[in-house]
Coordinates of all heavy atoms in Angstrom, one line a residue:
M25 N 0.0 -14.9 10.7 CA 0.8 -13.7 10.5 C 1.9 -14.0 9.5 O 2.1 -13.3 8.5 CB 1.4 -13.3 11.8 CG 0.5 -12.4 12.6 SD 0.5 -10.7 11.9 CE -0.6 -9.9 13.0
E26 N 2.6 -15.1 9.8 CA 3.8 -15.5 9.0 C 3.3 -15.8 7.6 O 4.0 -15.5 6.6 CB 4.4 -16.7 9.6 CG 5.8 -17.0 9.1 CD 6.3 -18.3 9.7 OE1 6.0 -18.6 10.8 OE2 7.1 -19.0 9.0
K27 N 2.1 -16.4 7.5 CA 1.6 -16.7 6.1 C 1.0 -15.6 5.4 O 1.0 -15.5 4.2 CB 0.6 -17.9 6.2 CG 1.3 -19.2 6.6 CD 0.4 -20.3 6.0 CE 0.9 -21.7 6.5 NZ 0.4 -22.1 7.8
T28 N 0.3 -14.7 6.2 CA -0.5 -13.6 5.6 C 0.4 -12.4 5.2 O 0.1 -11.8 4.2 CB -1.6 -13.1 6.6 OG1 -2.2 -14.3 7.1 CG2 -2.6 -12.3 5.9
A29 N 1.4 -12.1 6.0 CA 2.2 -10.9 5.7 C 2.7 -10.9 4.3 O 2.7 -9.9 3.6 CB 3.3 -10.8 6.7
P30 N 3.2 -12.0 3.7 CA 3.7 -12.0 2.4 C 2.7 -11.7 1.3 O 3.0 -11.2 0.2 CB 4.3 -13.4 2.1 CG 4.5 -14.0 3.5 CD 3.5 -13.3 4.4
L31 N 1.4 -12.0 1.7 CA 0.3 -11.7 0.7 C 0.2 -10.2 0.5 O -0.2 -9.7 -0.6 CB -1.0 -12.2 1.3 CG -1.2 -13.7 1.4 CD1 -2.5 -14.1 1.9 CD2 -0.9 -14.4 0.1
I32 N 0.6 -9.4 1.6 CA 0.6 -7.9 1.4 C 1.9 -7.5 0.8 O 1.9 -6.8 -0.2 CB 0.5 -7.3 2.8 CG1 -0.9 -7.6 3.4 CG2 0.6 -5.7 2.7 CD1 -1.0 -7.2 4.9
A33 N 3.0 -8.1 1.3 CA 4.3 -7.7 0.7 C 4.4 -8.0 -0.7 O 4.9 -7.2 -1.5 CB 5.4 -8.4 1.5
D34 N 3.9 -9.2 -1.1 CA 4.1 -9.6 -2.5 C 2.8 -9.6 -3.3 O 2.5 -10.5 -4.0 CB 4.7 -11.0 -2.6 CG 6.0 -11.0 -1.7 OD1 6.8 -10.1 -1.8 OD2 6.2 -12.1 -1.1
H35 N 1.9 -8.6 -3.0 CA 0.6 -8.6 -3.6 C 0.7 -8.5 -5.1 O 1.7 -8.0 -5.6 CB -0.2 -7.4 -3.1 CG 0.3 -6.1 -3.6 ND1 0.1 -5.5 -4.8 CD2 1.1 -5.2 -2.9 CE1 0.7 -4.4 -4.9 NE2 1.4 -4.1 -3.8
P36 N -0.3 -9.1 -5.8 CA -0.1 -9.1 -7.3 C -0.2 -7.7 -7.9 O -0.9 -6.8 -7.3 CB -1.3 -10.0 -7.7 CG -2.3 -10.1 -6.6 CD -1.5 -9.8 -5.4
Q37 N 0.5 -7.5 -9.0 CA 0.5 -6.3 -9.7 C -0.8 -6.2 -10.5 O -1.3 -7.2 -11.0 CB 1.7 -6.2 -10.6 CG 3.0 -6.3 -10.0 CD 3.5 -4.9 -9.6 OE1 3.1 -3.9 -10.1 NE2 4.4 -4.9 -8.6
P38 N -1.3 -4.9 -10.7 CA -2.5 -4.8 -11.6 C -2.1 -5.1 -13.0 O -0.9 -5.0 -13.4 CB -2.9 -3.4 -11.4 CG -1.7 -2.7 -10.9 CD -0.9 -3.7 -10.1
P39 N -3.0 -5.4 -13.9 CA -2.7 -5.6 -15.3 C -2.0 -4.4 -15.9 O -2.3 -3.3 -15.4 CB -4.0 -5.9 -16.0 CG -5.1 -6.0 -14.9 CD -4.5 -5.5 -13.6
L40 N -1.2 -4.6 -16.9 CA -0.4 -3.5 -17.5 C -1.2 -2.3 -17.9 O -0.9 -1.1 -17.6 CB 0.4 -4.0 -18.7 CG 1.4 -3.0 -19.3 CD1 2.4 -2.6 -18.2 CD2 2.0 -3.5 -20.5
A41 N -2.4 -2.5 -18.6 CA -3.2 -1.4 -19.0 C -3.6 -0.5 -17.8 O -3.6 0.7 -17.9 CB -4.4 -1.9 -19.8
E42 N -4.0 -1.2 -16.8 CA -4.5 -0.5 -15.6 C -3.3 0.3 -14.9 O -3.5 1.4 -14.5 CB -5.1 -1.5 -14.6 CG -5.8 -0.8 -13.4 CD -6.4 -1.9 -12.5 OE1 -6.7 -3.0 -13.0 OE2 -6.6 -1.5 -11.3
K43 N -2.2 -0.4 -14.9 CA -1.0 0.2 -14.3 C -0.6 1.5 -15.1 O -0.3 2.6 -14.5 CB 0.2 -0.7 -14.5 CG 0.9 -1.0 -13.3 CD 1.9 -2.1 -13.6 CE 3.0 -2.2 -12.5 NZ 3.8 -3.3 -12.8
L44 N -0.7 1.5 -16.4 CA -0.4 2.6 -17.2 C -1.4 3.8 -17.0 O -1.0 4.9 -16.9 CB -0.4 2.3 -18.7 CG 0.7 1.4 -19.2 CD1 0.6 1.0 -20.6 CD2 2.1 2.0 -18.9
R45 N -2.7 3.4 -16.8 CA -3.6 4.5 -16.5 C -3.3 5.1 -15.1 O -3.5 6.3 -15.0 CB -5.1 3.9 -16.4 CG -5.6 3.7 -17.8 CD -7.1 3.6 -17.8 NE -7.6 2.5 -16.9 CZ -8.7 2.4 -16.3 NH1 -9.6 3.4 -16.4 NH2 -9.0 1.4 -15.5
I46 N -2.9 4.3 -14.2 CA -2.6 4.8 -12.8 C -1.3 5.7 -12.9 O -1.3 6.8 -12.4 CB -2.3 3.7 -11.8 CG1 -3.6 2.9 -11.6 CG2 -1.8 4.2 -10.5 CD1 -3.5 1.6 -10.8
I47 N -0.3 5.2 -13.7 CA 0.9 6.0 -13.8 C 0.7 7.3 -14.5 O 1.2 8.4 -14.0 CB 2.0 5.2 -14.6 CG1 2.4 4.0 -13.7 CG2 3.2 6.1 -14.9 CD1 3.3 3.0 -14.5
S48 N -0.2 7.3 -15.5 CA -0.4 8.6 -16.2 C -1.2 9.6 -15.3 O -1.0 10.8 -15.4 CB -1.1 8.4 -17.6 OG -2.5 8.1 -17.4
F49 N -2.1 9.0 -14.5 CA -2.9 9.9 -13.6 C -2.0 10.5 -12.5 O -2.0 11.6 -12.2 CB -4.0 9.1 -13.0 CG -4.7 9.8 -11.8 CD1 -5.3 11.0 -12.1 CD2 -4.6 9.3 -10.5 CE1 -6.0 11.7 -11.0 CE2 -5.2 10.0 -9.5 CZ -5.9 11.2 -9.7
M50 N -1.1 9.6 -12.0 CA -0.2 10.1 -10.9 C 0.8 11.1 -11.4 O 1.2 12.0 -10.7 CB 0.6 8.9 -10.4 CG -0.2 8.0 -9.6 SD -0.7 8.8 -8.1 CE -2.0 7.7 -7.5
G51 N 1.3 11.0 -12.7 CA 2.2 11.9 -13.2 C 3.4 12.1 -12.3 O 4.0 11.1 -11.9
G52 N 3.7 13.4 -12.0 CA 4.9 13.7 -11.1 C 4.8 13.1 -9.7 O 5.9 13.0 -9.1
D53 N 3.7 12.7 -9.3 CA 3.6 12.1 -7.9 C 3.9 10.6 -7.9 O 3.9 10.0 -6.8 CB 2.1 12.3 -7.4 CG 1.9 13.8 -6.9 OD1 2.9 14.5 -6.7 OD2 0.8 14.2 -6.9
M54 N 4.2 10.1 -9.0 CA 4.4 8.6 -9.0 C 5.5 8.2 -8.1 O 5.4 7.1 -7.5 CB 4.6 8.1 -10.5 CG 4.5 6.7 -10.7 SD 2.8 6.1 -10.3 CE 3.1 4.4 -9.9
G55 N 6.6 9.0 -8.1 CA 7.7 8.6 -7.2 C 7.2 8.5 -5.7 O 7.6 7.6 -5.0
K56 N 6.4 9.5 -5.3 CA 5.9 9.5 -3.9 C 5.0 8.3 -3.7 O 5.1 7.6 -2.7 CB 5.2 10.8 -3.7 CG 6.0 11.8 -3.0 CD 5.4 13.2 -3.2 CE 4.7 13.7 -2.0 NZ 3.9 14.9 -2.3
F57 N 4.2 8.0 -4.7 CA 3.3 6.9 -4.6 C 4.0 5.6 -4.4 O 3.8 4.7 -3.6 CB 2.4 6.8 -5.8 CG 1.2 5.9 -5.7 CD1 0.1 6.2 -5.0 CD2 1.3 4.7 -6.4 CE1 -1.0 5.3 -4.9 CE2 0.2 3.8 -6.4 CZ -0.9 4.1 -5.6
K58 N 5.1 5.4 -5.2 CA 5.9 4.2 -5.2 C 6.6 4.1 -3.8 O 6.8 3.0 -3.3 CB 6.9 4.2 -6.3 CG 6.3 4.0 -7.6 CD 6.9 2.8 -8.4 CE 6.7 1.4 -7.8 NZ 6.2 0.4 -8.6
A59 N 7.0 5.3 -3.3 CA 7.8 5.3 -2.0 C 6.8 4.7 -0.9 O 7.2 3.9 -0.1 CB 8.3 6.7 -1.7
H60 N 5.6 5.2 -1.0 CA 4.6 4.6 0.0 C 4.4 3.1 -0.2 O 4.4 2.4 0.8 CB 3.2 5.3 -0.2 CG 3.1 6.7 0.3 ND1 3.3 7.0 1.6 CD2 2.8 7.9 -0.3 CE1 3.2 8.3 1.8 NE2 2.9 8.9 0.6
D61 N 4.4 2.7 -1.4 CA 4.2 1.3 -1.7 C 5.3 0.5 -1.2 O 5.1 -0.6 -0.6 CB 4.0 1.1 -3.2 CG 3.5 -0.2 -3.6 OD1 2.5 -0.7 -3.0 OD2 4.1 -0.9 -4.5
S62 N 6.6 1.0 -1.4 CA 7.7 0.2 -0.9 C 7.8 0.2 0.6 O 8.3 -0.8 1.2 CB 9.0 0.5 -1.5 OG 9.0 1.8 -2.1
E63 N 7.4 1.3 1.2 CA 7.3 1.3 2.7 C 6.4 0.2 3.2 O 6.8 -0.5 4.1 CB 6.9 2.7 3.2 CG 6.7 2.9 4.7 CD 7.9 2.8 5.5 OE1 9.0 2.9 4.9 OE2 7.9 2.6 6.7
T64 N 5.2 0.1 2.6 CA 4.3 -0.9 3.0 C 4.8 -2.3 2.8 O 4.7 -3.2 3.6 CB 2.9 -0.7 2.2 OG1 2.4 0.5 2.5 CG2 1.9 -1.8 2.5
H65 N 5.5 -2.4 1.7 CA 6.1 -3.7 1.3 C 7.2 -4.1 2.4 O 7.1 -5.2 2.9 CB 6.8 -3.6 0.0 CG 7.7 -4.8 -0.4 ND1 7.1 -5.9 -1.0 CD2 9.0 -5.0 -0.3 CE1 8.1 -6.8 -1.2 NE2 9.2 -6.2 -0.8
A66 N 8.0 -3.1 2.8 CA 9.0 -3.4 3.8 C 8.4 -3.7 5.1 O 8.9 -4.7 5.8 CB 10.0 -2.2 3.9
Q67 N 7.4 -3.0 5.5 CA 6.8 -3.3 6.8 C 6.1 -4.6 6.9 O 6.1 -5.3 7.9 CB 5.8 -2.1 7.2 CG 6.4 -0.8 7.4 CD 7.6 -0.8 8.3 OE1 7.8 -1.7 9.1 NE2 8.5 0.2 8.2
A68 N 5.4 -5.0 5.7 CA 4.8 -6.3 5.7 C 5.8 -7.4 5.8 O 5.6 -8.4 6.5 CB 4.0 -6.4 4.4
Q69 N 7.0 -7.2 5.2 CA 8.0 -8.2 5.4 C 8.5 -8.3 6.8 O 8.8 -9.4 7.3 CB 9.2 -7.8 4.4 CG 8.9 -8.3 3.0 CD 10.1 -8.1 2.1 OE1 10.9 -7.1 2.3 NE2 10.3 -9.0 1.2
A70 N 8.6 -7.1 7.5 CA 9.0 -7.1 8.9 C 8.0 -7.8 9.7 O 8.5 -8.6 10.7 CB 9.2 -5.6 9.3
V71 N 6.7 -7.7 9.5 CA 5.7 -8.5 10.2 C 6.0 -10.0 10.1 O 6.0 -10.7 11.0 CB 4.3 -8.1 9.8 CG1 3.3 -9.1 10.4 CG2 3.9 -6.7 10.1
G72 N 6.2 -10.4 8.8 CA 6.4 -11.8 8.5 C 7.7 -12.3 9.2 O 7.7 -13.4 9.8
K73 N 8.7 -11.5 9.2 CA 10.0 -11.9 9.8 C 9.8 -12.1 11.3 O 10.3 -13.1 11.9 CB 11.0 -10.8 9.6 CG 12.1 -11.3 8.6 CD 13.0 -10.1 8.2 CE 14.4 -10.2 8.7 NZ 15.2 -9.1 8.2
A74 N 9.2 -11.1 12.0 CA 9.0 -11.1 13.4 C 8.1 -12.3 13.8 O 8.4 -13.0 14.8 CB 8.4 -9.8 13.9
A75 N 7.1 -12.6 13.0 CA 6.2 -13.8 13.3 C 7.0 -15.1 13.2 O 6.9 -15.9 14.0 CB 5.1 -13.8 12.3
K76 N 7.9 -15.1 12.2 CA 8.7 -16.3 12.0 C 9.6 -16.6 13.2 O 9.9 -17.7 13.6 CB 9.5 -16.2 10.7 CG 10.0 -17.5 10.2 CD 10.5 -17.3 8.8 CE 11.0 -18.6 8.2 NZ 11.6 -18.5 6.9
A77 N 10.1 -15.4 13.7 CA 11.1 -15.5 14.8 C 10.3 -15.7 16.2 O 10.9 -15.8 17.2 CB 11.9 -14.2 14.9
G78 N 9.0 -15.8 16.1 CA 8.2 -15.9 17.4 C 8.3 -14.7 18.3 O 8.1 -14.8 19.5
D79 N 8.5 -13.5 17.7 CA 8.7 -12.3 18.4 C 7.4 -11.5 18.5 O 7.1 -10.7 17.6 CB 9.8 -11.5 17.7 CG 10.0 -10.1 18.3 OD1 9.4 -9.8 19.4 OD2 10.8 -9.3 17.7
G80 N 6.6 -11.8 19.5 CA 5.3 -11.2 19.6 C 5.3 -9.7 19.6 O 4.5 -9.1 18.9
A81 N 6.1 -9.1 20.4 CA 6.2 -7.7 20.5 C 6.7 -7.1 19.2 O 6.2 -6.0 18.8 CB 7.2 -7.3 21.6
G82 N 7.6 -7.8 18.5 CA 8.1 -7.3 17.2 C 7.0 -7.3 16.2 O 6.9 -6.4 15.4
V83 N 6.1 -8.4 16.3 CA 5.0 -8.4 15.3 C 4.0 -7.2 15.5 O 3.7 -6.5 14.6 CB 4.1 -9.7 15.5 CG1 2.8 -9.6 14.7 CG2 4.9 -10.9 15.1
I84 N 3.7 -6.9 16.8 CA 2.8 -5.8 17.1 C 3.4 -4.5 16.6 O 2.8 -3.7 16.0 CB 2.5 -5.8 18.6 CG1 1.6 -7.0 18.9 CG2 1.8 -4.5 19.0 CD1 1.4 -7.2 20.4
L85 N 4.7 -4.3 16.9 CA 5.4 -3.1 16.5 C 5.4 -2.9 15.0 O 5.1 -1.9 14.4 CB 6.8 -3.1 17.0 CG 7.6 -1.8 16.8 CD1 7.0 -0.7 17.7 CD2 9.1 -2.0 17.1
A86 N 5.8 -4.0 14.3 CA 5.8 -4.0 12.8 C 4.4 -3.8 12.2 O 4.3 -3.1 11.2 CB 6.5 -5.3 12.3
F87 N 3.4 -4.4 12.9 CA 2.1 -4.3 12.4 C 1.6 -2.9 12.5 O 0.9 -2.4 11.6 CB 1.1 -5.3 13.1 CG -0.2 -5.4 12.5 CD1 -0.3 -6.1 11.2 CD2 -1.3 -4.9 13.0 CE1 -1.5 -6.2 10.6 CE2 -2.6 -5.0 12.4 CZ -2.7 -5.6 11.2
Q88 N 2.0 -2.2 13.6 CA 1.6 -0.8 13.7 C 2.2 0.0 12.6 O 1.6 0.9 12.1 CB 2.1 -0.4 15.1 CG 1.6 1.0 15.5 CD 2.4 1.6 16.6 OE1 3.0 0.8 17.4 NE2 2.5 2.9 16.7
K89 N 3.5 -0.2 12.4 CA 4.1 0.5 11.3 C 3.5 0.2 9.9 O 3.4 1.1 9.1 CB 5.6 0.2 11.2 CG 6.4 0.8 12.4 CD 7.9 0.6 12.1 CE 8.7 0.9 13.3 NZ 10.1 0.3 13.2
L90 N 3.1 -1.0 9.8 CA 2.4 -1.4 8.5 C 1.2 -0.6 8.3 O 0.9 -0.1 7.3 CB 2.2 -2.9 8.5 CG 1.3 -3.5 7.4 CD1 2.1 -3.3 6.1 CD2 1.0 -5.0 7.6
Q91 N 0.4 -0.5 9.4 CA -0.9 0.2 9.3 C -0.7 1.7 9.0 O -1.4 2.3 8.3 CB -1.7 0.0 10.5 CG -2.3 -1.4 10.6 CD -3.2 -1.6 11.8 OE1 -2.9 -1.3 12.9 NE2 -4.4 -2.0 11.5
T92 N 0.4 2.2 9.7 CA 0.7 3.6 9.5 C 1.1 3.8 8.0 O 0.7 4.8 7.4 CB 1.9 4.0 10.3 OG1 1.5 3.7 11.7 CG2 2.2 5.5 10.2
S93 N 1.8 2.9 7.4 CA 2.2 3.0 6.0 C 0.9 3.0 5.1 O 0.9 3.7 4.1 CB 3.2 2.0 5.6 OG 2.6 0.7 5.4
C94 N -0.1 2.2 5.4 CA -1.3 2.1 4.6 C -2.0 3.5 4.7 O -2.4 4.1 3.7 CB -2.3 1.1 5.2 SG -1.8 -0.5 5.5
Y95 N -2.0 4.0 6.0 CA -2.7 5.3 6.2 C -2.0 6.4 5.5 O -2.7 7.3 5.0 CB -2.8 5.5 7.7 CG -3.4 6.8 8.1 CD1 -4.7 7.1 7.9 CD2 -2.6 7.8 8.6 CE1 -5.3 8.3 8.2 CE2 -3.1 9.1 8.9 CZ -4.5 9.3 8.7 OH -5.0 10.5 9.0
D96 N -0.7 6.4 5.6 CA 0.0 7.5 5.0 C -0.3 7.7 3.5 O -0.5 8.8 3.0 CB 1.5 7.3 5.1 CG 2.0 7.7 6.5 OD1 1.3 8.4 7.2 OD2 3.1 7.3 6.9
C97 N -0.4 6.5 2.8 CA -0.6 6.6 1.4 C -2.1 7.0 1.1 O -2.4 7.8 0.3 CB -0.3 5.3 0.7 SG -0.5 5.5 -1.1
H98 N -3.0 6.4 1.9 CA -4.4 6.8 1.8 C -4.7 8.3 2.0 O -5.4 8.9 1.2 CB -5.3 6.0 2.7 CG -5.4 4.5 2.3 ND1 -6.1 3.6 3.1 CD2 -4.9 3.9 1.3 CE1 -6.0 2.4 2.5 NE2 -5.3 2.5 1.4
R99 N -4.0 8.8 3.0 CA -4.2 10.2 3.4 C -3.8 11.1 2.2 O -4.4 12.1 1.9 CB -3.4 10.5 4.6 CG -3.7 11.8 5.2 CD -2.8 12.1 6.4 NE -1.4 11.8 6.0 CZ -0.3 11.8 6.8 NH1 -0.5 12.0 8.0 NH2 0.9 11.6 6.3
E100 N -2.8 10.7 1.5 CA -2.2 11.6 0.5 C -2.9 11.3 -0.9 O -3.1 12.2 -1.6 CB -0.7 11.3 0.3 CG 0.0 12.4 -0.5 CD 1.5 12.3 -0.4 OE1 2.0 11.5 0.5 OE2 2.2 13.0 -1.1
F101 N -3.2 10.0 -1.2 CA -3.6 9.7 -2.5 C -5.0 9.2 -2.8 O -5.5 9.2 -3.9 CB -2.7 8.7 -3.1 CG -1.3 9.2 -3.5 CD1 -0.2 8.9 -2.7 CD2 -1.2 10.1 -4.5 CE1 1.0 9.4 -3.0 CE2 0.1 10.6 -4.8 CZ 1.2 10.3 -4.1
R102 N -5.6 8.7 -1.7 CA -6.9 8.0 -2.0 C -8.0 8.8 -2.5 O -8.7 8.4 -3.4 CB -7.3 7.3 -0.7 CG -8.4 6.3 -0.9 CD -8.4 5.3 0.1 NE -9.8 4.9 0.4 CZ -10.1 4.4 1.6 NH1 -9.3 4.2 2.5 NH2 -11.4 4.0 1.7
K103 N -8.2 10.0 -1.9 CA -9.3 10.9 -2.3 C -9.2 11.3 -3.8 O -10.2 11.0 -4.5 CB -9.3 12.1 -1.4 CG -10.7 12.5 -1.2 CD -10.8 13.6 -0.1 CE -12.1 14.3 0.0 NZ -12.0 15.5 0.8
P104 N -8.1 11.8 -4.3 CA -8.1 12.2 -5.7 C -8.2 11.0 -6.6 O -8.8 11.0 -7.7 CB -6.7 12.9 -5.8 CG -5.9 12.6 -4.6 CD -7.0 12.3 -3.5
F105 N -7.6 9.9 -6.1 CA -7.6 8.6 -6.9 C -9.0 8.1 -7.1 O -9.5 7.8 -8.2 CB -6.8 7.6 -6.1 CG -6.3 6.4 -7.0 CD1 -5.1 6.3 -7.5 CD2 -7.2 5.4 -7.2 CE1 -4.7 5.2 -8.2 CE2 -6.8 4.3 -7.9 CZ -5.5 4.2 -8.4
V106 N -9.8 8.1 -6.0 CA -11.2 7.6 -6.1 C -12.0 8.5 -6.9 O -12.8 8.1 -7.8 CB -11.8 7.4 -4.7 CG1 -13.3 7.2 -4.7 CG2 -11.1 6.3 -3.9
A107 N -11.8 9.8 -6.7 CA -12.6 10.8 -7.5 C -12.3 10.6 -9.0 O -13.2 10.7 -9.8 CB -12.2 12.2 -7.1
H108 N -11.0 10.4 -9.4 CA -10.7 10.3 -10.8 C -11.2 9.0 -11.4 O -11.8 9.0 -12.5 CB -9.2 10.3 -10.9 CG -8.7 10.3 -12.3 ND1 -8.7 11.3 -13.2 CD2 -8.2 9.2 -13.1 CE1 -8.2 10.9 -14.4 NE2 -8.0 9.7 -14.3
F109 N -11.0 7.9 -10.7 CA -11.3 6.6 -11.3 C -12.7 6.1 -11.0 O -13.2 5.2 -11.8 CB -10.3 5.5 -10.9 CG -8.9 5.7 -11.5 CD1 -7.9 6.2 -10.8 CD2 -8.8 5.4 -12.8 CE1 -6.6 6.4 -11.4 CE2 -7.5 5.6 -13.5 CZ -6.5 6.1 -12.7
Y110 N -13.3 6.5 -10.0 CA -14.7 6.0 -9.6 C -15.7 7.1 -9.6 O -16.9 6.8 -9.3 CB -14.6 5.3 -8.2 CG -13.6 4.2 -8.1 CD1 -12.4 4.5 -7.6 CD2 -14.0 2.9 -8.4 CE1 -11.4 3.5 -7.4 CE2 -13.1 1.9 -8.2 CZ -11.8 2.2 -7.7 OH -10.9 1.2 -7.6
G111 N -15.4 8.3 -9.9 CA -16.3 9.4 -9.8 C -16.4 9.9 -8.4 O -16.1 9.1 -7.5
A112 N -16.7 11.2 -8.2 CA -16.6 11.7 -6.8 C -17.6 11.0 -5.8 O -18.6 10.5 -6.2 CB -17.1 13.2 -6.9
R113 N -17.1 10.9 -4.6 CA -17.9 10.2 -3.6 C -18.2 11.1 -2.4 O -17.3 11.9 -2.1 CB -17.2 9.0 -3.0 CG -17.5 7.7 -3.8 CD -17.0 6.5 -3.0 NE -16.5 5.5 -4.0 CZ -15.8 4.5 -3.6 NH1 -15.4 4.3 -2.3 NH2 -15.4 3.6 -4.5
Ligands
HEC11 C1 0.9 3.3 -2.4 C2 -0.4 3.8 -1.9 C3 -1.2 2.9 -1.0 C4 -0.8 2.1 0.0 C5 0.6 1.9 0.6 C6 -2.0 1.4 0.5 N1 -3.1 1.8 -0.2 FE1 -5.0 1.1 0.1 N2 -5.6 2.4 -1.4 C7 -4.9 3.2 -2.1 C8 -5.7 4.0 -3.1 C9 -5.2 5.0 -4.1 C10 -7.0 3.5 -2.9 C11 -8.3 4.0 -3.6 C12 -8.4 3.3 -4.9 C13 -9.2 2.1 -4.9 O1 -10.1 2.0 -4.0 O2 -9.0 1.2 -5.8 C14 -6.9 2.5 -1.8 C15 -8.0 1.8 -1.4 C16 -8.0 0.8 -0.3 C17 -9.1 0.0 0.1 C18 -10.5 0.1 -0.5 C19 -11.4 1.0 0.3 C20 -12.7 1.3 -0.4 O3 -13.2 2.3 -0.1 O4 -13.1 0.4 -1.2 C21 -8.7 -0.8 1.1 C22 -9.5 -1.8 1.9 C23 -7.3 -0.5 1.3 N3 -6.9 0.5 0.4 C24 -6.5 -1.1 2.3 C25 -5.1 -0.9 2.4 C26 -4.3 -1.6 3.4 C27 -4.8 -2.5 4.4 C28 -3.0 -1.1 3.2 C29 -1.8 -1.5 3.9 C30 -1.5 -2.9 4.1 C31 -3.1 -0.2 2.1 N4 -4.4 -0.1 1.6 C32 -2.0 0.5 1.6 C33 -3.5 3.4 -2.0 C34 -2.7 2.7 -1.1

């Protein structure tokens, strides 16, 4: 947990060209998309912190919030994103 959480929190950024394509597709929604992203980042850090502190209940709580943050962004953005970049599914 302690080692894995930062992999989510500090995940690598996509290459610039890809980033620009995403930003242009998102347009006015980019702020919201970024907000979801930083929420996930914060929760992943919380998981790492709780794990480091040996706080089992804290890890579970933070992990639950982390999963909720994944879900929140998917619910809002994943469908149009996949349709646009990968063709309708
Ligand atoms: C800021 C928005 C956002 C957040 C936060 C986010 N995702 Fe996603 N995710 C997406 C989008 C958009 C896609 C679809 C695009 C793609 O597949 O490349 C996706 C696709 C995926 C896929 C691929 C699914 C498939 O059908 O191939 C997985 C797995 C995934 N996300 C896991 C996660 C997990 C786990 C988290 C939380 C730790 C997370 N995501 C947080 C936006 C987000």
Side-chain angles (χ1 to χ4, degrees):
M25 274 286 179
E26 193 185 332
K27 287 207 187 86
T28 312
L31 296 180
I32 298 173
D34 307 321
H35 67 82
Q37 298 271 338
L40 186 63
E42 191 178 334
K43 231 174 166 175
L44 290 175
R45 281 201 300 154
I46 294 171
I47 292 170
S48 78
F49 169 63
M50 286 294 165
D53 283 338
M54 196 60 206
K56 264 161 102 188
F57 190 76
K58 288 239 64 130
H60 284 301
D61 192 50
S62 21
E63 175 68 16
T64 298
H65 173 82
Q67 297 309 341
Q69 281 188 323
V71 171
K73 250 171 113 179
K76 201 170 180 180
D79 175 5
V83 169
I84 290 168
L85 188 70
F87 192 70
Q88 187 197 335
K89 287 190 191 162
L90 174 63
Q91 287 186 308
T92 304
S93 75
C94 307
Y95 175 70
D96 282 345
C97 186
H98 287 178
R99 192 184 47 189
E100 195 169 350
F101 286 110
R102 191 154 146 206
K103 214 170 168 194
F105 196 100
V106 169
H108 181 82
F109 286 106
Y110 303 91
R113 268 191 217 169

